[in-house]
Amino acid sequence: MNISSRIEATLLVQRRDLLRQVTEEATARRLPLYAVGGFARDLLLGRRVRDFDLVVEGDAIPFARALSRAHGGRVTAHTKFHTATWFLPPNLVSDARGAEALDFISARSETYAHPAALPTVKLGTIADDLRRRDFSINALAVRLDGEQFGELRDDLGGMTDLERGLIRVLHPNSFVDDPTRLFRAVRYAERYGFKVEPETEALIPTALVYVDKLSPERLRHELDL
């Protein structure tokens, strides 16, 4: 399924121009590039796209630095998690309310040493990256580079859950690994008028005990959202 026409129709002109600059760099470097999570989800729901989580099959840090060298701005690298944030130069910020930064993520897998721990990450493929995500509706990816621009990847049934209006985790230990997902499940259900899928809802009671293991900062962040 190709949704390139939706991208062109939905994104503001300034956002399209910024995305084109990013995709041209990825194409030139032969790096598979995907917009994952909220970008695909909201695009398919016909909502304004606010999230630009960009996943590179490769190392995201030198890719972000190459964009900074070509277009300006600065980059903050997070080597432990193989991610980078490109703080855009003023000429690439779409408007006063526009995103001032883009996050680039290296496709990766994650493991958790204990409940509520920060993940241990390992570079991987886009398939690995989709499987590590919280809910099926956030495990959709849109290819952005080269001739495959606009191709939708749905390995885990996210499209079906979008159509049915369901919030579904990807594995039984999802809430135990990361209890912040409990808050996110409620947030997405309320935001979109969805329901928590019954098997997912059944996992909530036993996971509640792990909320106390979250750091105050992580808990506060979810409550703020």
Side-chain angles (χ1 to χ4, degrees), residues 1 5 29 32-33 54 56 74 94 97 112 133 140 157 162 167 187 194 213-214 223:
M1 179 179 180
S5 60
R29 290 173 170 266
L33 177 70
L54 302 174
V56 179
R74 61 184 177 86
S94 60
R97 297 169 296 171
Y112 294 82
R133 298 195 168 255
L140 295 158
L162 275 182
I167 307 297
R187 184 164 79 245
F194 284 9
K213 295 183 178 296
L214 292 170
L223 293 175

Side-chain angles (χ1 to χ4, degrees), residues 46-73:
R47 298 171 69 100
R48 182 178 176 184
V49 175
R50 299 179 183 273
D51 295 334
F52 278 74
D53 290 332
L54 302 174
V55 174
V56 179
E57 274 195 325
D59 194 335
I61 294 174
F63 178 63
R65 287 174 174 160
L67 286 165
S68 178
R69 286 194 300 271
H71 303 288

Side-chain angles (χ1 to χ4, degrees), residues 1-20 23 33-36 39-44 46-49 51-52 54 141-146 148-152:
M1 179 179 180
N2 192 293
I3 58 172
S4 57
S5 60
R6 296 199 191 195
I7 298 174
E8 294 294 326
T10 302
L11 295 186
L12 298 174
V13 172
Q14 297 93 333
R15 297 279 91 187
R16 291 203 304 268
D17 291 343
L18 174 61
L19 191 63
R20 182 161 50 249
T23 60
L33 177 70
Y34 298 84
V36 180
F39 182 99
R41 180 193 68 227
D42 290 343
L43 198 66
L44 290 164
R47 298 171 69 100
R48 182 178 176 184
V49 175
D51 295 334
F52 278 74
L54 302 174
V142 181
R143 185 76 179 256
L144 296 178
D145 61 292
Q148 298 177 73
F149 179 83
E151 287 187 5
L152 180 68

Side-chain angles (χ1 to χ4, degrees), residues 214-225:
L214 292 170
S215 69
E217 293 78 13
R218 293 178 71 194
L219 183 58
R220 173 61 185 268
H221 178 67
E222 293 301 326
L223 293 175
D224 283 345
L225 289 173

Side-chain angles (χ1 to χ4, degrees), residues 98-173:
E100 296 185 353
L102 287 180
D103 290 322
F104 294 93
I105 302 161
S106 304
R108 65 197 199 224
S109 60
E110 294 181 344
T111 56
Y112 294 82
H114 54 80
L118 290 174
T120 300
V121 305
K122 179 181 177 183
L123 290 179
T125 65
I126 187 62
D128 296 321
D129 203 84
L130 295 179
R131 285 194 296 270
R132 73 175 179 84
R133 298 195 168 255
D134 49 8
F135 308 111
S136 62
I137 63 170
N138 289 334
L140 295 158
V142 181
R143 185 76 179 256
L144 296 178
D145 61 292
E147 295 181 356
Q148 298 177 73
F149 179 83
E151 287 187 5
L152 180 68
R153 180 159 181 160
D154 178 17
D155 295 6
L156 300 162
M159 274 290 292
T160 298
D161 288 338
L162 275 182
E163 293 166 356
R164 296 168 64 195
L166 293 177
I167 307 297
R168 178 173 60 84
V169 294
L170 301 181
H171 59 86
N173 285 329

